[in-house]
Amino acid sequence: MAAAAIRTEGLTKYYGPVIGIEDLSLEVAPGQVYGFLGANGSGKTTTIRLLLDLLRPSRGRASVLGVDCHRDSLAARRLIGYLPGDLPIYPDLSAEGYLQYLSRLDGRPVSSAYLQRLLKRFDVSDLDRGRRLRDQSHGMKQKIGIIQALMAEPPLVILDEPTAGLDPIMVQAFRETVAELRRSGKTTVFLSSHVLSEVESMCDRIGLIRGGRVVATGTIEDLRRDAARRVTVTFSSSVPPPAIRIDGVTVRSHGDREWQLEIRGPVGPMVAALAGLPVHDLAIEPFRLEEYVARFYGERA
Amino acid sequence: MIALLRRSIAQARYVLIGSAVLLTGFQLVIVGQAAEIQRSQSFGRIAELLPGFLQRGLGSRAMLLATFKGTVAFGYFHPVVCLLVAVVAMYFTTEPAHEVEAGLVDLELARSLPRWRLLARSLTLSHLAAIGGIVLMALGTSLGGALFDTAGMDMPEFSLRGRLLVNLLGVASCFGAFALLVASLSKRWATAFTTGALTAVVTYLVDFLSIGWRPMRVLNWLSPFHYYPALSVIAGDAPVARNVAILFAAAAAFAAAAFWQFQRRDL
């Protein structure tokens, strides 16, 4: 069996009395696109920086593709391409100089053809490549950041807020790139993002982190099944207060002609319980990742 | 490593050029001044102007400052020169703190680059800059000798210049390694650099004040400048090898502590 692309076991990081992450265990299978979600300060960047051995864990362990991130840090980092959330630059370097410098740092070979393809896809012209980074727009710097993370074709790409500052066309270019990586099956993409529609459309699985712990993980379908959905039942005539006693169904409010319910799991038992009542309409709100995630953010707040 | 070195040199090019001009120019000026005083036979008057506490603290060696040879050699232990060489050394060794502060370590160390290489790069550059600086100082003295027609004057011998400059290199190395240790503990470049620079100034003052103020002699062994007794070196009675060994041993200890600390810290 292939080693997990990312595996953390009880990974914990304390900053003095402050919890960075605590007992964080997650597993990302090779070839997946994994969305790592959480509010600001929830521990996403701490987790990523532990994987890169930039932070030392308080306890627990992490590995990438079977290589321990701390004990065999160099070998682990050789497998990773990383885009930091706040891309640091050398202002005096041109985009080309920046990419050359970074590729020389660890000596991983960069295929010229692949680099050209990335530059073309992200619309980085020869003129842009020659300009100093200090003179480039935020979006252009972000594109260069994405390219530097991908150019060595690492088996694991970790991207922290990759589309921040990109225009819609470049967001699309980024999505195409991720889709291409997924199709190749050779690269695992671990991305943290606040753009939930993007995560929903690109990721095979997501993990939701809150207060330094993973509070939900699974495919979008898993989350859909797990998520509470609001159901509005309207009646054609007055009905008595609901007396529904079904697992997974909660009455949120009720009136003479309308009930607001919350349901988890299949709707069949609820529909059966409504039989015999003068149901005029039944509206089930579709699953929306934004609401699902916002609920977790809200709980934290 | 070469890529790291080239990047750091490119970033620090103006500091390097500026300090090179200052150090070379200073020697030229001091040789020119000494030659002028020698020609006007004014060293006797300078001897009379030496502060009493210096004469009491340094004894007969103070008179060396009132000679052509001593004045030219003063270019190698003038406070501005000593502090400038130390500060340039510290400028390079505090670079890791800048890389942490600016987040550049996230790019560099996300690759398969060992942490120690960042410190090794900085330490190497710090020493190269200090060596380059003292070589330029020596060249400045020779150039000054040629420009200001000092033939027949008592220029410091090459061996004496060598001893003074190696001793100065030891001081720069010690401060550079000290600043490396501070940088390995810091998340802010300004914190590391200011701490190093202030330490250099304070330890210089401690050593200088101990010449005329006995209570300060309790502390002066802590100052790297204590191990650069330039007038004694000129007089030929300083244990140069021992002093240089102490300075480089301290530098090695600071550097070892810095590597250990940087390896275990969060970045």
Side-chain angles (χ1 to χ4, degrees):
Chain A
M1 197 177 98
I6 296 175
R7 174 176 287 133
T8 69
E9 294 164 45
L11 195 61
T12 300
K13 178 66 190 175
Y14 299 122
Y15 301 103
V18 178
I19 297 171
I21 58 169
E22 194 167 42
D23 290 326
L24 188 134
S25 297
L26 64 84
E27 187 164 324
V28 179
Q32 273 187 347
V33 179
Y34 191 94
F36 198 44
L37 305 178
N40 294 331
S42 58
K44 299 189 299 291
T45 302
T46 295
T47 307
I48 289 171
R49 299 185 93 243
L50 282 162
L51 293 173
L52 293 162
D53 200 34
L54 294 166
L55 299 176
R56 307 303 200 198
S58 303
R59 63 168 184 268
R61 55 193 298 266
S63 62
V64 296
L65 295 156
V67 180
D68 191 283
C69 291
H70 180 52
R71 278 190 308 227
D72 205 357
S73 162
L74 280 183
R77 283 182 275 145
R78 185 166 277 275
L79 303 169
I80 299 174
Y82 173 52
L83 170 72
D86 200 359
L87 184 72
I89 58 159
Y90 297 92
D92 59 316
L93 277 182
S94 66
E96 176 140 27
Y98 186 72
L99 295 174
Q100 275 176 3
Y101 169 65
L102 293 174
S103 68
R104 281 183 192 138
L105 269 188
D106 62 354
R108 280 186 291 192
V110 174
S111 151
S112 169
Y114 185 62
L115 180 58
Q116 289 303 324
R117 213 165 85 216
L118 287 173
L119 290 166
K120 193 172 174 193
R121 170 167 279 160
F122 285 101
D123 198 21
V124 181
S125 68
D126 287 349
L127 193 69
D128 295 327
R129 287 167 66 182
R131 282 173 65 204
R132 285 183 176 176
L133 287 170
R134 72 157 71 102
D135 302 326
Q136 307 265 20
S137 67
H138 177 68
M140 181 58 75
K141 287 179 207 157
Q142 188 70 0
K143 291 193 279 185
I144 299 296
I146 293 171
I147 291 169
Q148 65 80 27
L150 299 174
M151 64 184 178
E153 299 177 76
L156 173 61
V157 181
I158 298 177
L159 307 167
D160 197 353
E161 297 289 342
T163 56
L166 294 186
D167 62 45
I169 295 171
M170 287 304 115
V171 170
Q172 187 53 36
F174 174 72
R175 287 183 185 191
E176 284 168 14
T177 307
V178 171
E180 192 179 285
L181 292 172
R182 180 203 272 134
R183 278 196 302 276
S184 77
K186 293 178 193 162
T187 308
T188 306
V189 180
F190 184 83
L191 65 92
S192 93
S193 177
H194 287 298
V195 186
L196 301 175
S197 57
E198 189 175 286
V199 171
E200 198 168 1
S201 66
M202 280 191 294
C203 296
D204 301 309
R205 288 177 75 83
I206 69 164
L208 194 58
I209 183 170
R210 192 187 67 214
R213 290 169 179 270
V214 173
V215 288
T217 184
T219 62
I220 298 291
E221 200 47 49
D222 292 336
L223 301 184
R224 195 191 309 276
R225 276 197 295 272
D226 172 61
R229 286 154 293 157
R230 285 188 187 167
V231 178
T232 305
V233 188
T234 48
F235 301 98
S236 49
S237 57
S238 292
V239 291
I244 294 174
R245 297 278 182 272
I246 305 168
D247 282 348
V249 178
T250 316
V251 178
R252 292 175 61 86
S253 65
H254 60 84
D256 282 352
R257 289 173 176 245
E258 186 178 290
W259 295 350
Q260 295 277 351
L261 309 175
E262 194 171 83
I263 180 167
R264 287 172 194 272
V267 294
M270 182 199 70
V271 172
L274 293 172
L277 293 172
V279 175
H280 176 71
D281 194 13
L282 186 68
I284 303 175
E285 283 185 13
F287 171 79
R288 287 174 60 217
L289 185 61
E290 283 90 340
E291 280 185 13
Y292 181 82
V293 171
R295 183 165 64 88
F296 284 104
Y297 286 15
E299 280 176 20
R300 183 195 71 139
Chain B
M1 186 73 161
I2 299 294
L4 282 173
L5 284 167
R6 286 177 59 182
R7 182 87 286 275
S8 297
I9 290 170
Q11 285 192 124
R13 58 192 181 279
Y14 297 120
V15 173
L16 283 170
I17 293 168
S19 52
V21 168
L22 276 174
L23 288 171
T24 314
F26 194 91
Q27 303 313 314
L28 281 173
V29 168
I30 211 159
V31 173
Q33 290 294 314
E36 184 62 32
I37 297 168
Q38 177 75 357
R39 279 192 204 98
S40 61
Q41 297 185 327
S42 304
F43 275 115
R45 270 184 283 162
I46 287 181
E48 289 165 17
L49 292 174
L50 283 176
F53 82 95
L54 273 183
Q55 296 192 33
R56 283 191 300 277
L58 297 171
S60 60
R61 278 170 301 186
M63 289 303 126
L64 287 169
L65 289 170
T67 63
F68 176 78
K69 182 179 178 178
T71 302
V72 171
F74 188 43
Y76 295 168
F77 60 93
H78 189 284
V80 169
V81 170
C82 291
L83 291 174
L84 180 60
V85 172
V87 162
V88 169
M90 289 190 285
Y91 178 81
F92 284 104
T93 51
T94 49
E95 193 181 356
H98 164 68
E99 286 167 310
V100 171
E101 181 177 10
L104 293 165
V105 283
D106 284 34
L107 273 185
E108 293 162 337
L109 297 180
R111 297 173 154 74
S112 58
L113 188 74
R115 285 185 180 198
W116 61 262
R117 277 212 195 143
L118 298 184
L119 299 199
R121 174 273 327 263
S122 297
L123 208 52
T124 305
L125 271 182
S126 161
H127 281 85
L128 287 177
I131 290 168
I134 64 170
V135 167
L136 285 172
M137 285 164 66
L139 285 175
T141 304
S142 297
L143 190 63
L147 277 177
F148 298 109
D149 191 21
T150 57
M153 297 183 195
D154 185 19
M155 281 289 271
E157 313 82 55
F158 283 108
S159 60
L160 172 60
R161 290 189 226 171
R163 283 197 299 278
L164 286 168
L165 290 175
V166 167
N167 217 151
L168 180 58
L169 178 65
V171 172
S173 175
C174 188
F175 277 110
F178 170 73
L180 187 75
L181 175 58
V182 179
S184 73
L185 293 157
S186 308
K187 287 199 166 190
R188 301 275 178 274
W189 177 79
T191 308
F193 187 72
T194 309
T195 304
L198 283 177
T199 304
V201 172
V202 168
T203 53
Y204 188 89
L205 286 175
V206 165
D207 187 55
F208 182 73
L209 291 175
S210 69
I211 294 172
W213 190 23
R214 284 188 171 277
M216 202 54 91
R217 291 183 192 168
V218 178
L219 289 176
N220 73 347
W221 65 275
L222 289 169
S223 169
F225 295 106
H226 176 66
Y227 303 96
Y228 182 28
L231 288 173
S232 298
V233 176
I234 298 170
D237 56 8
V240 176
R242 178 179 160 274
N243 283 340
V244 170
I246 289 171
L247 288 168
F248 279 113
F254 285 135
F259 277 84
W260 177 77
Q261 165 59 24
F262 198 68
Q263 193 60 30
R264 62 192 287 272
R265 73 174 283 189
D266 288 335
L267 296 174

